[in-house]
Amino acid sequence: MAEKAISRPGVKRLIGVDLDFGALRTAGPRYWAFVSLLVTVIGLGVIAWATLLTHGGSVMAMRDSYPWGLWFTNYMYYVGLSAGGLVVYASVHLFNAKQFAPLSRLAVLQAGVLVMMALLGIITDMERPWRAVWMLLTPNFNSPFIYTGSAANIYMIICFVDLWILITGKGGHKLAHRMTLIALPFAVYLHTTTAFVLSLNKSRELWNSAVMVPIFLTSATASGVALLLICAYIMQRIGAMKFKPSMFRSLSTLLATVIIIDLFLLAVEILTVFWPTSAKPGHALRLAEFFTGEYAIAFLPVLVLGLGAFALLAGRSTRHLPAVQITASVMYVVAIFLKRYSLMAMGFAVDPLGQYSAPYLPSLVEVLIALGLLAVGLLIMTLSAKVLPLRVPEEDSAEPDQVVLASHAPEQALEVG
Amino acid sequence: MSEDSTRSAGQPRRDLPEGCTLSRRTFLGGVGATAGLVLAGAVPALVSSAQATEGGVPGNESLSGVIEEDGAVNYPGKTVHYAEPPGDEKWAMVIDVKACIGCRRCVYACVKENNIGRNSGFTYIQVLEMDKGKVDVEHASLAYDHGGDPDKWYMPVQCMQCAKPPCVYGCPVTATWRDPDGIVVIDYEKCIACRNCIVTCPYGARHFNWVEPEIAEAEINPDVPLHEKEGVIEKCTFCIHRTREGGTTACTEACPVGARKFGDLNDPDSEVSILLKTRRVWRLKEEYGTEPMIWYVG
């Protein structure tokens, strides 16, 4: 593999990774049109951020009643999406799920890029980003922010280091396996601490529930697996990677399983809040807004899309159809976004003094910043699809461990030489 | 030190000028200095925690015992812009909700006294109008036209200066803390605008300056910061600039019916101490365990 790559023109080797810049030269006009669209969106995002820095927080739709807005929704959402990819990648090593092996590089790259977008979202929300240094100088370990912030940073580094290990094959199968043992618990830790940011608040009844943590984990895994499935289809479509249909089938089985656990946890929470012997007025009143209030248009689709996605994937006769798999995945990725949004916004809609505020809708500046960040992530993925060697060599995925180890040896020898 | 070490690793030693190598002595000296700094940093922490546990004044006369856990939390040993706490006071307030007519004069006085931007869209004090017969905060009204409705009752809510403040626990950068006299203060120069304290506060007492606070030149109170508050959190300070100089709060002064009593819990003869001893009092959201320093009586 390595030998073949070096012989091609336009390939540059950087810290042991073959970057195929030649593929960019042969890319079609459609590819470049998409890239320039992304760059334009990023430009708009930068302008919006500059507006925020010069005009202050008033250009955003957030107010005291909604102290957190789209940036926090996206933080939860991106952090969650990144988990699923990692779970799939980890299952290759931990549960010997060989069918997912071709996905490993893509999954880790996707996880790293998504966490990066989440962190950039925090920075672009701060009016004085340089004050973030106090997080390091005088941290308060009672605050869940310290844990989720540090976890996200370390997790991002782990993802990119892991990607590098997977691509270069340094340390072979053994090191890749050990990295999984670090990365997977860290992914769980990151999502737990993100859920803690909401759930460890006695002041906000809606969030103050221990079930928030498992809901975050399952929502994260489900949406992440769904996104990975979509991403894999796109990569296959543009010819960057190739997968077996059985891989997609396994992925959608996993997706259906996690979706139903996710919906089950949500149902348990709803039941606890409304059951006559357990209903507390503050909590019930706030959750009721999800069903009868103005937020119903954001939350009811979560249930409809979730159940719909599960129904699509549960059908044994249709499950293997790519169209069904993609539709279900898109449905659930959208559903989880709406879930994050309504969960965050509804926690604020009725404030601690019982005052209701009209629904939060992000302002143009917030939307442009968020789109800009999304474009940054998409741009990295788009360029990586051409430049990075994401395709896992055949022998790695098809053969048992010992052979994989052996196949790495000549590769390493080449690198040394 | 680190620069030296990389240079000595990267280059042959003889090329280096005199004194540019990392000798064992310099290295040990550096380690010693670091250890010393860490130890020196630990001393004030130990001292302040010792003070915290001693807190209050011994003797049954003092009412500071009503606060279950009365220690300074996250107290970094620095006050913001104001005088140090003068003595061993524990500031508290008692609000008579039977007397309160919901006129909002305390709100107006507070806005003027504390340089709250007239365009900022918040006030430190929020007066809740509630139906008689229950303390139903969930169905309270903040936006009533004018007070004095005989079918309603009124309850002013502001920063409770909690003894166990969730906002202080939630601040990721220790930009807010509780001073020894019980006032929860904010360092405007340090606040990173994450707004987590707005989320953690069960009383809706914290407010963010989404716009630069604007006040007519003539109305600015020189004793209170103004421009420092842009883009950071602010809240009621028990009029720290007045009370630490021996005065009372602006809202207490402004109340036309004398519903507010402000004073020192450690002084057995203060109005608040007498009220807490002789009347049946309650606190808002007592079940949250935040130990508020504002009591209601009525």
Side-chain angles (χ1 to χ4, degrees):
Chain A
M1 169 83 189
E3 206 176 357
K4 221 193 303 171
I6 288 164
S7 62
R8 263 188 295 156
V11 175
K12 284 216 175 69
R13 172 157 281 214
L14 191 75
I15 51 164
V17 180
D18 293 322
L19 300 175
D20 188 0
F21 292 108
L24 286 180
R25 255 170 250 147
T26 53
R30 284 228 316 255
Y31 181 84
W32 286 112
F34 185 59
V35 168
S36 45
L37 173 73
L38 291 178
V39 172
T40 317
V41 176
I42 294 172
L44 286 175
V46 170
I47 293 170
W49 190 27
T51 316
L52 170 64
L53 287 178
T54 48
H55 288 73
S58 58
V59 295
M60 299 189 283
M62 288 181 274
R63 289 296 175 262
D64 279 0
S65 46
Y66 289 102
W68 296 336
L70 187 62
W71 70 276
F72 191 71
T73 308
N74 279 343
Y75 178 80
M76 295 188 287
Y77 185 57
Y78 290 151
V79 154
L81 286 176
S82 93
L86 209 92
V87 166
V88 169
Y89 154 71
S91 60
V92 177
H93 291 274
L94 296 185
F95 311 116
N96 214 15
K98 282 275 175 293
Q99 68 272 32
F100 296 142
L103 272 175
S104 53
R105 291 179 187 180
L106 179 66
V108 175
L109 174 71
Q110 183 189 301
V113 170
L114 281 164
V115 172
M116 193 187 74
M117 286 156 68
L119 285 169
L120 285 175
I122 296 183
I123 291 170
T124 48
D125 169 70
M126 296 178 79
E127 282 181 47
R128 297 181 183 87
W130 54 91
R131 282 196 185 175
V133 73
W134 290 114
M135 297 273 267
L136 299 170
L137 296 180
T138 56
N140 173 12
F141 293 104
N142 287 321
S143 174
F145 261 49
I146 290 294
Y147 298 96
T148 188
S150 55
N153 276 294
I154 298 171
Y155 178 78
M156 181 178 76
I157 295 166
I158 288 179
C159 284
F160 286 127
V161 169
D162 206 1
L163 179 69
W164 181 79
I165 288 172
L166 285 175
I167 290 178
T168 56
K170 285 249 162 58
H173 189 76
K174 213 174 193 174
L175 185 61
H177 184 79
R178 283 200 186 132
M179 281 305 285
T180 324
L181 290 180
I182 301 170
L184 187 64
F186 228 92
V188 175
Y189 173 66
L190 172 59
H191 294 95
T192 308
T193 51
T194 308
F196 277 170
V197 170
L198 295 188
S199 72
L200 297 186
N201 287 309
K202 57 186 164 195
S203 56
R204 308 277 168 174
E205 279 102 331
L206 184 76
W207 301 336
N208 194 9
S209 156
V211 83
M212 288 285 277
V213 174
I215 285 188
F216 259 67
L217 287 169
T218 50
S219 296
T221 314
S223 59
V225 169
L227 183 72
L228 191 63
L229 200 143
I230 299 168
C231 224
Y233 264 116
I234 294 172
M235 289 291 185
Q236 185 162 355
R237 190 68 192 269
I238 63 170
M241 300 171 86
K242 230 179 173 163
F243 304 101
K244 292 193 191 108
S246 66
M247 198 265 328
F248 285 109
R249 212 157 46 235
S250 306
L251 215 50
S252 28
T253 314
L254 177 65
L255 181 58
T257 317
V258 188
I259 286 179
I260 202 66
I261 299 174
D262 193 26
L263 291 174
F264 167 74
L265 290 173
L266 191 61
V268 170
E269 169 73 0
I270 291 169
L271 213 66
T272 314
V273 173
F274 287 124
W275 200 263
T277 52
S278 83
K280 292 176 203 151
H283 202 161
L285 180 129
R286 284 170 174 84
L287 195 62
E289 294 283 344
F290 274 137
F291 298 100
T292 55
E294 289 176 280
Y295 278 98
I297 47 164
F299 187 69
L300 290 180
V302 175
L303 297 178
V304 173
L305 288 171
L307 287 171
F310 177 73
L312 279 179
L313 293 173
R316 204 166 272 252
S317 52
T318 51
R319 183 160 59 197
H320 63 278
L321 297 173
V324 170
Q325 291 169 355
I326 292 177
T327 314
S329 299
V330 171
M331 278 166 78
Y332 215 62
V333 169
V334 174
I336 295 297
F337 180 80
L338 289 175
K339 191 171 164 185
R340 303 280 195 221
Y341 162 75
S342 49
L343 184 67
M344 183 216 61
M346 261 319 299
F348 292 129
V350 183
D351 81 359
L353 293 183
Q355 302 304 306
Y356 180 79
S357 327
Y360 160 80
L361 283 174
S363 73
L364 182 66
V365 168
E366 286 172 89
V367 171
L368 284 180
I369 291 178
L371 284 179
L373 289 174
L374 183 65
V376 169
L378 281 174
L379 185 66
I380 296 175
M381 293 304 281
T382 313
L383 294 177
S384 302
K386 292 280 181 197
V387 174
L388 275 182
L390 290 177
R391 200 188 296 234
V392 177
E394 277 299 310
E395 67 267 51
D396 265 20
S397 52
E399 286 168 48
D401 299 1
Q402 287 77 15
V403 187
V404 175
L405 263 178
S407 77
H408 272 287
E411 215 172 293
Q412 280 169 337
L414 260 176
E415 276 157 19
V416 172
Chain B
M1 199 176 81
S2 62
E3 196 190 323
D4 287 356
S5 66
T6 49
R7 280 176 72 176
S8 62
Q11 292 174 5
R13 265 190 165 205
R14 58 178 180 279
D15 291 347
L16 284 171
E18 199 72 44
C20 210
T21 55
L22 179 75
S23 73
R24 187 174 296 157
R25 186 183 290 172
T26 10
F27 175 71
L28 285 176
V31 170
T34 318
L37 273 175
V38 171
L39 280 177
V43 169
L46 287 171
V47 170
S48 70
S49 69
Q51 280 174 348
T53 46
E54 277 168 20
V57 167
N60 291 333
E61 290 299 295
S62 161
L63 267 168
S64 51
V66 296
I67 312 152
E68 274 171 26
E69 187 181 298
D70 181 23
V73 272
N74 289 326
Y75 175 50
K78 174 177 155 257
T79 46
V80 200
H81 302 303
Y82 302 104
E84 293 283 338
D88 53 14
E89 286 89 352
K90 288 280 176 226
W91 301 121
M93 189 180 275
V94 179
I95 300 176
D96 185 353
V97 286
K98 196 166 79 183
C100 179
I101 52 170
C103 66
R104 291 205 188 102
R105 284 208 179 88
C106 53
V107 180
Y108 304 135
C110 170
V111 167
K112 265 178 104 169
E113 178 67 31
N114 287 295
N115 281 347
I116 299 175
R118 308 298 189 260
N119 56 339
S120 295
F122 61 79
T123 55
Y124 289 172
I125 305 172
Q126 294 168 294
V127 186
L128 298 176
E129 184 190 65
M130 282 181 278
D131 291 328
K132 283 185 173 164
K134 46 185 172 178
V135 189
D136 187 3
V137 174
E138 302 299 343
H139 293 97
S141 162
L142 267 177
Y144 60 87
D145 276 342
H146 35 79
D149 187 336
D151 298 328
K152 308 273 185 186
W153 68 284
Y154 299 88
M155 182 171 72
V157 177
Q158 66 210 66
C159 173
M160 300 285 173
Q161 318 290 351
C162 304
K164 294 182 183 174
C167 54
V168 170
Y169 299 145
C171 176
V173 295
T174 335
T176 178
W177 61 86
R178 184 167 177 265
D179 261 359
D181 59 350
I183 299 180
V184 175
V185 291
I186 302 169
D187 187 343
Y188 298 140
E189 306 291 317
K190 205 175 170 190
C191 172
I192 60 166
C194 70
R195 306 180 282 275
N196 194 32
C197 53
I198 297 187
V199 176
T200 54
C201 176
Y203 304 103
R206 286 189 170 242
H207 307 280
F208 187 73
N209 282 288
W210 298 94
V211 290
E212 187 177 355
E214 278 170 17
I215 303 174
E217 201 65 47
E219 290 178 36
I220 295 176
N221 179 358
D223 297 337
V224 175
L226 171 63
H227 298 294
E228 291 90 332
K229 300 199 281 197
E230 188 201 349
V232 295
I233 296 281
E234 64 174 309
K235 66 165 191 67
C236 162
T237 61
F238 263 178
C239 285
I240 192 166
H241 54 287
R242 298 165 65 125
T243 51
R244 281 193 180 169
E245 307 286 348
T248 187
T249 68
C251 52
T252 309
E253 220 171 68
C255 183
V257 293
R260 287 169 181 269
K261 307 291 178 200
F262 178 83
D264 176 15
L265 279 187
N266 279 338
D267 173 9
D269 298 326
S270 70
E271 274 180 305
V272 287
S273 291
I274 292 166
L275 276 169
L276 259 59
K277 277 183 211 161
T278 57
R279 301 281 292 274
R280 298 297 161 257
V281 292
W282 51 277
R283 295 188 284 188
L284 186 57
K285 304 196 182 184
E286 183 89 74
E287 71 277 16
Y288 280 38
T290 50
E291 301 280 331
M293 286 297 109
I294 295 183
W295 279 263
Y296 294 94
V297 62

